[in-house]
Amino acid sequence: MTDSIMSKAATMEIPINSNGDTGTLAEDDSLEQDLQQVMVSGPNLNETSIVSGGYGGTAEGIISTATIKGPNMHHSSSSSSMAAEQTTRGVAVEKIETVKKWGLNTYKCTKQMISERFGRGSRTVDLELEAQIEVLRDTKRKYETVLRLARALTNHFYNMVQTQHSLGDTFAELSQKSPELRDEFGYNAETQKLLCKNGETLLGAINFFVSSINTLVNKTMEDTLMTIKMYENARLEFDAYRSDLEELSMGPRDAVAMARIDAAQQQYQVHKEKYERLRSDVIIKLKFLEENKVKVMHKQLLLFHNAISAYFAGNQQQLEQTLKQFNIKLKPPGADKPSWLEDQ
């Protein structure tokens, strides 16, 4: 149909009158109608027509596919689209509200922090609890020093044991190749092997000591300090909303102001409960941490003292008994021993 229209339009003659205007033709109206029909009869996403007959056929030959669709197909598609749009819109609104609350909370806490730093704002202080927190932080720093030095001792002692092992092997080899010094080299080889064996036993005790101190410092104490950090943040939020409520309470008492005061009172109560809950958690964790620290360190310090004393006294039996007392098991002599750094 389009080819017929375009060929028809191409072969038409358009007369020009004396004024330069196009003349009116009888076919102009029909051509315009044909072009409009071509544009209208393009593909429609919602409806497709089946046309019987050629160009210029009557409307009786057009069968709309809308008549053969299911009665609820268009309605269900529209409902699904609207539901998806409403869901997307709800998620977007929720995200906007979350960002808005976060921004407002951050602003209030920053304002409170600056006020405290410059001495213009008041803060909630628990002197006894803050003293305990400061003691914990100082204890952690000192225990980290003990851990660092114990690791250095383990590393140096491991190197010494490896050197004794190599020296013993060299003495044993020379005793075989030097008949005139066989006994002397043999005595020294046995001594170095005995020292190496006792050194490996002591290394097992020191490694156990280092592992226990590492767990206490970097897990148990760190977990308590994380709770303390949450408590300090909750304290800052509580003071921020408390200051906001006090500021609003000193203002006018009209309807709008009263609504804002009620909202501020609700937020104040929420953050107060959060602050008190975390404060209680910190107190409980500090108590259990102190008990656990005393128990662990009592055992580990006793182990460290007995093992070091037995080793330097040359008491192999007492050294082995110390490891049995604390249930420390060493690898069998033939097993490959990784370096101390690999154990960490």
Side-chain angles (χ1 to χ4, degrees):
M1 182 175 67
T2 305
D3 294 338
S4 174
I5 296 171
M6 298 308 294
S7 61
K8 182 176 179 181
T11 56
M12 287 180 58
E13 294 181 0
I14 304 176
I16 307 297
N17 58 18
S18 58
N19 293 329
D21 298 331
T22 57
T24 58
L25 294 176
E27 293 180 302
D28 287 350
D29 295 335
S30 62
L31 177 61
E32 183 178 358
Q33 293 175 359
D34 292 340
L35 292 174
Q36 291 178 356
Q37 185 175 357
V38 170
M39 299 300 294
V40 171
S41 62
N44 193 332
L45 296 177
N46 298 323
E47 179 177 318
T48 304
S49 298
I50 303 174
V51 182
S52 63
Y55 166 72
T58 62
E60 296 177 356
I62 301 177
I63 304 174
S64 174
T65 58
T67 60
I68 61 176
K69 290 182 179 179
N72 296 326
M73 185 178 297
H74 181 72
H75 178 71
S76 62
S77 176
S78 175
S79 300
S80 300
S81 177
M82 291 178 62
E85 183 179 355
Q86 290 177 356
T87 302
T88 304
R89 185 179 301 173
V91 172
V93 171
E94 184 178 354
K95 289 183 178 180
I96 292 174
E97 288 296 324
T98 301
V99 173
K100 182 179 178 181
K101 290 180 180 179
W102 174 83
L104 182 61
N105 186 72
T106 303
Y107 165 75
K108 291 181 181 295
C109 292
T110 305
K111 179 182 177 182
Q112 176 67 22
M113 186 185 302
I114 294 174
S115 298
E116 292 178 3
R117 183 164 299 179
F118 287 95
R120 293 180 299 191
S122 60
R123 63 188 298 268
T124 303
V125 179
D126 189 330
L127 295 177
E128 182 180 357
L129 183 57
E130 291 190 2
Q132 294 178 5
I133 292 173
E134 188 58 34
V135 169
L136 171 60
R137 287 176 172 149
D138 183 62
T139 301
K140 185 173 183 291
R141 286 191 293 267
K142 292 178 180 178
Y143 275 50
E144 286 173 343
T145 302
V146 172
L147 180 61
R148 176 176 55 82
L149 294 174
R151 282 175 171 169
L153 175 64
T154 306
N155 193 27
H156 295 320
F157 197 78
Y158 174 82
N159 291 331
M160 187 186 75
V161 170
Q162 294 302 309
T163 302
Q164 289 175 336
H165 187 276
S166 300
L167 188 59
D169 291 341
T170 304
F171 284 155
E173 182 180 356
L174 288 172
S175 69
Q176 300 295 328
K177 295 181 179 181
S178 304
E180 67 280 3
L181 296 174
R182 178 178 299 176
D183 293 338
E184 289 79 358
F185 277 127
Y187 297 152
N188 281 278
E190 291 298 326
T191 301
Q192 293 300 320
K193 289 181 180 180
L194 180 60
L195 290 174
C196 182
K197 180 181 179 181
N198 291 342
E200 290 174 349
T201 305
L202 179 61
L203 271 176
I206 297 177
N207 277 327
F208 187 77
F209 175 81
V210 169
S211 176
S212 300
I213 299 300
N214 180 66
T215 301
L216 177 64
V217 172
N218 293 321
K219 292 185 179 180
T220 309
M221 289 186 178
E222 189 64 29
D223 177 71
T224 303
L225 287 174
M226 287 295 295
T227 305
I228 290 173
K229 184 65 176 177
M230 295 170 59
Y231 157 75
E232 291 175 342
N233 291 337
R235 196 280 307 165
L236 183 63
E237 291 178 350
F238 166 68
D239 282 339
Y241 283 90
R242 176 183 56 79
S243 299
D244 187 49
L245 178 61
E246 291 174 354
E247 183 178 349
L248 289 174
S249 299
M250 292 186 296
R253 294 284 180 166
D254 55 5
V256 177
M258 291 303 298
R260 295 180 61 186
I261 291 175
D262 291 340
Q265 180 68 38
Q266 294 177 1
Q267 291 295 324
Y268 164 79
Q269 191 64 32
V270 168
H271 287 86
K272 180 182 178 181
E273 293 175 358
K274 179 181 178 181
Y275 163 74
E276 291 177 347
R277 182 180 69 253
L278 286 172
R279 178 179 175 274
S280 177
D281 292 344
V282 169
I283 293 174
I284 293 174
K285 283 198 172 187
L286 285 174
K287 179 181 178 182
F288 284 121
L289 174 61
E290 183 64 23
E291 295 175 356
N292 186 42
K293 182 193 72 174
V294 171
K295 181 180 178 181
V296 169
M297 292 307 300
H298 174 77
K299 177 181 178 180
Q300 295 306 316
L301 291 173
L302 183 62
L303 165 67
F304 191 80
H305 173 268
N306 291 347
I308 292 289
S309 300
Y311 173 81
F312 285 101
N315 193 337
Q316 180 182 359
Q317 183 178 1
Q318 183 182 353
L319 182 60
E320 293 177 352
Q321 184 63 34
T322 299
L323 267 66
K324 290 181 181 179
Q325 178 184 354
F326 292 95
N327 298 320
I328 301 174
K329 295 181 180 181
L330 299 177
K331 290 184 178 181
D336 294 330
K337 297 180 178 60
S339 66
W340 173 80
L341 292 177
E342 291 175 342
D343 288 338
Q344 300 308 311

